[in-house]
Amino acid sequence: MVALAAVIATAIWAMLPAYVPNNAAVLVGGGPPIDGGRSWRGRRLLGDGKTWRGTVGGIVAGALLAALLNGVVTPASTFLGVDFPSFPIRAAIGLPAGAMLGDITASFLKRRTGRERGAAFPGLDQLDFVLGALVIAALLAPGWTIRVFTLPVVVTVLIITPLLHVLTNVIAYGLGLKNEPW
Ligand code: CTP
Ligand code: MG
């Protein structure tokens, strides 16, 4: 595979465990909110859109996907001619947990800036989970993160993630799974 395509394929592969949690949370979310309904300075801490079930379901879905990718890393690498990384347990959990944490942090910031549940926060909406995933992965699996997320891969992730995020959310909205297309 040519170098640019290989970098893009690697970026998508390495980020897949951080991409699915948000979508899984949409599917399994509901039940008690993380903030327990509490408010701070007249606004919800996080809101009803951040639930325990969605968060745990998202992390489990991301970790399971990482395990699945580990199972096919050799044939996938051979088939595409790309040296895909496998996910050590700390990365397999760190990526989805970080993605959920980033999304939750963004929710906190949305409430603090007066945005109600579901309000868009362009830029933050598309990158919160990427930043969270990279930070937590770097903390839990520093050596692995530095080796996999080289500068070209990180730059690629920052460019393609907003595009993929917008696309999947428009699809989820079109399917009636999500209330807003962002
Ligand atoms: N969800 C969840 N738990 C999470 C994240 C998401 O249960 N940690 C579910 C909720 O049902 C949520 C839906 O997925 O409504 C869509 O997620 P998102 O767009 O991130 O939440 P919003 O409802 O837009 O809330 P906020 O404005 O706080 O981001
Ligand atoms: Mg939303």
Side-chain angles (χ1 to χ4, degrees), residues 150-172:
T150 58
L151 189 59
V153 171
V154 170
V155 170
T156 305
V157 165
L158 293 179
I159 294 171
I160 63 172
T161 304
L163 301 175
L164 290 173
H165 188 257
V166 169
L167 188 71
T168 53
N169 281 324
V170 166
I171 292 171

Side-chain angles (χ1 to χ4, degrees), residues 38-102:
R38 277 182 286 273
S39 291
W40 185 41
R41 297 188 176 177
R43 294 193 177 274
R44 284 288 292 275
L45 219 43
L46 301 173
D48 288 330
K50 305 297 129 162
T51 68
W52 288 111
R53 208 164 73 205
T55 306
V56 172
I59 295 172
V60 169
L64 285 178
L65 182 64
L68 194 114
L69 292 176
N70 282 344
V72 299
V73 65
T74 306
S77 296
T78 309
F79 183 68
L80 290 175
V82 178
D83 191 13
F84 288 128
S86 55
F87 300 90
I89 184 92
R90 285 162 170 266
I93 292 170
L95 287 169
M100 291 278 82
L101 190 66

Side-chain angles (χ1 to χ4, degrees), residues 92-145:
I93 292 170
L95 287 169
M100 291 278 82
L101 190 66
D103 178 58
I104 289 167
T105 306
S107 202
F108 178 79
L109 294 175
K110 285 187 192 180
R111 299 303 94 81
R112 304 288 71 77
T113 54
R115 292 172 169 82
E116 298 299 334
R117 175 185 180 184
F121 199 147
L124 196 63
D125 277 330
Q126 286 75 36
L127 288 172
D128 52 17
F129 59 103
V130 173
L131 298 181
L134 292 179
V135 168
I136 301 301
L139 287 175
L140 291 184
W144 180 87
T145 305

